[in-house]
């Protein structure tokens, strides 16, 4: 019987390690995507953006995982307060998700603000003036 416990513990540990490796791979994939999206940054800004990209990639993957848990288990959890008192509250995953999504949006805004500003092309309009003048 002790052998089964050891085997189950080892199997759980192996599964946890595999899940962690997969998450790290997903984070690396997101980092590559973000680096491509922000490739127009000059060298100095890329150094500044490196930790923002690292954190954004981690948050993207974690938010995806939290979404899966919330979809599977719901946004509300039941708790027991005392012997016969039961209630519902926002699940811990929802609270973490809400906080992390705000932080993720702030990081993405910071990254976007680092991009070089595109000059406004005043020679070519959006076609509205030509449309109005043809009427």
């Amino acid at each position: 019987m002790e052998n089964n416990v050891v085997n189950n513990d080892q199997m759980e540990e192996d599964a946890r390690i595999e899940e962690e490796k997969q998450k790290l791979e997903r984070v690396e994939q997101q980092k590559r995507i973000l680096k491509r999206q922000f490739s127009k940054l000059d060298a100095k800004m890329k150094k500044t953006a490196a930790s923002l990209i690292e954190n954004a990639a981690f948050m993207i993957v974690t938010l995806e995982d939290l979404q899966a848990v919330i979809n599977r288990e719901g946004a509300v959890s039941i708790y027991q307060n005392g012997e016969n008192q039961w209630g519902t509250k926002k699940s811990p995953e929802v609270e973490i998700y809400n906080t992390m999504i705000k932080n993720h949006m702030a990081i993405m805004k910071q990254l976007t603000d680092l991009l070089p500003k595109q000059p406004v092309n005043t020679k070519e309009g959006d076609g509205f003036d030509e449309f109005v003048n043809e009427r």
Side-chain angles (χ1 to χ4, degrees):
M1 181 148 173
E2 191 174 307
N3 237 359
N4 287 343
V5 172
V6 172
N7 287 341
N8 285 342
D9 288 346
Q10 185 61 46
M11 287 173 47
E12 288 176 13
E13 181 67 13
D14 291 347
R16 188 191 63 73
I17 290 170
E18 182 60 30
E19 188 176 312
E20 190 174 315
K21 282 174 36 178
Q22 288 177 0
K23 184 171 183 171
L24 289 173
E25 288 173 12
R26 291 169 52 216
V27 169
E28 287 301 318
Q29 180 183 16
Q30 288 299 324
K31 276 198 272 189
R32 286 191 297 275
I33 291 168
L34 289 168
K35 284 180 181 178
R36 255 185 270 127
Q37 289 175 336
F38 294 97
S39 63
K40 293 195 185 321
L41 293 174
D42 63 45
K44 183 179 176 185
M45 287 298 168
K46 281 184 183 179
K47 285 183 180 181
T48 302
S51 70
L52 292 172
I53 288 173
E54 180 111 7
N55 285 307
F58 169 79
M59 287 182 182
I60 289 168
V61 171
T62 303
L63 287 166
E64 289 171 351
D65 293 346
L66 287 167
Q67 284 177 349
V69 171
I70 293 166
N71 286 335
R72 186 175 57 248
E73 297 176 11
V76 175
S77 55
I78 299 170
Y79 69 93
Q80 183 177 3
N81 187 16
E83 190 173 319
N84 293 317
Q85 290 182 320
W86 295 82
T88 58
K89 65 179 182 176
K90 196 172 12 174
S91 75
E93 291 83 6
V94 169
E95 292 196 26
I96 295 167
Y97 181 89
N98 287 340
T99 301
M100 189 172 287
I101 194 77
K102 289 175 189 170
N103 293 336
H104 175 66
M105 295 306 296
I107 284 176
M108 294 307 292
K109 177 165 180 12
Q110 284 180 296
L111 282 169
T112 304
D113 289 347
L114 292 175
L115 288 171
K117 305 296 182 240
Q118 298 294 327
V120 177
N121 190 351
T122 57
K123 291 181 183 175
E124 291 182 30
D126 60 1
F128 180 75
D129 292 333
E130 292 83 18
F131 173 75
V132 170
N133 290 335
E134 289 175 3
R135 297 208 145 254

